[in-house]
Amino acid sequence: MAPELPLERLQHFLQSVVVHGGTADEAIAAARAEVDPGAVVLPSPTLTASERLGIYHGMYLLRMEEALAADYPALQHFLGAAAFRSLVSDYVKEYPSRSYSLNPLGRHLPEFLKVAPGRRRRAFCHELARLELAISEVFDEVELPPLSAAQIAAVPVAAWEGARLIPIAALRLLELSSNVNEYLHSVQLENHDHPPPRRRRAAWLLIYRRDYRVYRLPLRRPARDLLAALLAGAPLGQAVAAACTAPRAPGESELFRWFRDWMAGGVFHAVRQDQARTRQD
């Protein structure tokens, strides 16, 4: 009778087989140097010990594919089922799951796509993955209450110039150089007329969540520059002054519309007043 295998060693053996990046036979062969599968897994009436282990090995990759497809549905749609499955197989070899949760599994996929060989339309796929990762991150962020009318009214008029608008956590500002947002939109609508990938001049997208729903708001360069300054912590007066002196400066009505949209969207969470500036005034 074979000696009893310590639990820790058994767990390590099973994990090494299940998460191995090669085929089931390769996984078992690699693990056999440490533990004989036949000594710890009994055959069934229809399957050998290796075949039974192979079921779990195959299910692991399917679970990884399922998890990544949930975060990257447009990328899966663009590549097709077979190519996406191949991408997942290569990706989890480089970035295996190391968390109790599968939420962070795909966080490295955009950078992996940037260098992974043999992928068609690599630049488009990389940017599409960046967009879907940003959406996933925004969806998983903590939900903070938006800036309220009472909070706005509590700020003295003289303090607004030095005030700093604090953004919500569930927000990303993304620069794009292709039509990935339009492609994603067509996939979400289950539209069969998907736009072909194409490069274009730089564009910006504000991605944020409110009431557990993710929104995507396209921005022109002036609006993006102003919002980026506010998100970086610039005082309101300084950020608006810079926007109004920049090339293609916005008019008063345009500025009003931007802030109306951002406030209505709940982009900001709080106002921090510049106490020193307020005392001087």
Side-chain angles (χ1 to χ4, degrees):
M1 184 175 179
E4 184 176 333
L5 196 67
L7 177 60
E8 183 178 355
R9 192 176 171 196
L10 174 61
Q11 290 173 327
H12 183 268
F13 161 73
L14 290 174
Q15 182 184 35
S16 65
V17 171
V18 169
V19 305
H20 191 279
T23 65
D25 288 341
E26 291 169 343
I28 294 169
R32 194 184 297 276
E34 185 175 340
V35 175
D36 177 14
V40 293
V41 179
L42 297 176
S44 73
T46 57
L47 298 173
T48 66
S50 294
E51 287 171 336
R52 295 185 72 187
L53 283 170
I55 292 174
Y56 292 96
H57 175 270
M59 289 302 297
Y60 170 78
L61 189 57
L62 287 174
R63 184 68 186 97
M64 298 299 100
E65 181 183 350
E66 181 183 62
L68 288 171
D71 287 339
Y72 296 95
L75 180 63
Q76 183 190 41
H77 183 276
F78 179 75
L79 291 174
F84 186 76
R85 187 172 301 116
S86 173
L87 172 65
V88 171
S89 178
D90 292 343
Y91 174 72
V92 297
K93 292 176 190 176
E94 189 75 20
Y95 297 101
S97 176
R98 300 190 183 281
S99 169
Y100 70 92
S101 167
L102 289 177
N103 281 351
L105 176 65
R107 65 174 55 167
H108 299 291
L109 189 57
E111 63 189 78
F112 179 78
L113 272 167
K114 198 172 184 179
V115 298
R119 306 296 168 190
R120 72 183 184 95
R121 305 305 294 259
R122 184 200 309 273
F124 183 83
C125 288
H126 169 248
E127 197 154 271
L128 182 56
R130 284 179 57 230
L131 172 57
E132 293 197 282
L133 176 61
I135 292 171
S136 177
E137 289 175 342
V138 163
F139 185 81
D140 289 334
E141 281 283 8
V142 63
E143 180 96 1
L144 296 175
L147 187 62
S148 67
Q151 287 173 290
I152 294 173
V155 180
V157 174
W160 273 108
E161 183 180 356
R164 302 174 195 270
L165 293 169
I166 311 303
I168 59 174
L171 178 150
R172 298 292 186 274
L173 188 57
L174 209 60
E175 181 176 348
L176 302 171
S177 59
S178 62
N179 61 330
V180 291
N181 188 43
E182 292 81 359
Y183 187 87
L184 173 60
H185 186 63
S186 73
V187 172
Q188 291 175 330
L189 292 178
E190 299 183 352
N191 187 345
H192 296 292
D193 186 20
H194 303 288
R198 67 176 186 274
R199 293 190 63 80
R200 66 180 184 193
R201 295 169 61 184
W204 293 269
L205 198 64
L206 173 62
I207 305 167
Y208 63 95
R209 191 184 77 238
R210 183 174 182 182
D211 297 329
Y212 300 98
R213 181 175 177 182
V214 177
Y215 297 88
R216 306 194 304 275
L217 179 64
L219 301 174
R220 295 193 306 107
R221 180 64 181 258
R224 175 266 175 196
D225 289 347
L226 173 57
L227 183 58
L230 294 172
L231 297 182
L236 181 60
Q238 177 184 316
V240 172
C244 291
T245 56
R248 299 170 61 190
E252 184 177 332
S253 62
E254 197 169 17
L255 277 171
F256 175 81
R257 178 166 51 81
W258 294 348
F259 277 99
R260 180 198 62 197
D261 291 345
W262 298 339
M263 293 299 180
V267 167
F268 298 106
H269 165 61
V271 180
R272 188 172 72 238
Q273 298 180 47
D274 188 331
Q275 298 297 331
R277 180 60 178 271
T278 301
R279 286 195 297 270
Q280 290 174 4
D281 292 343

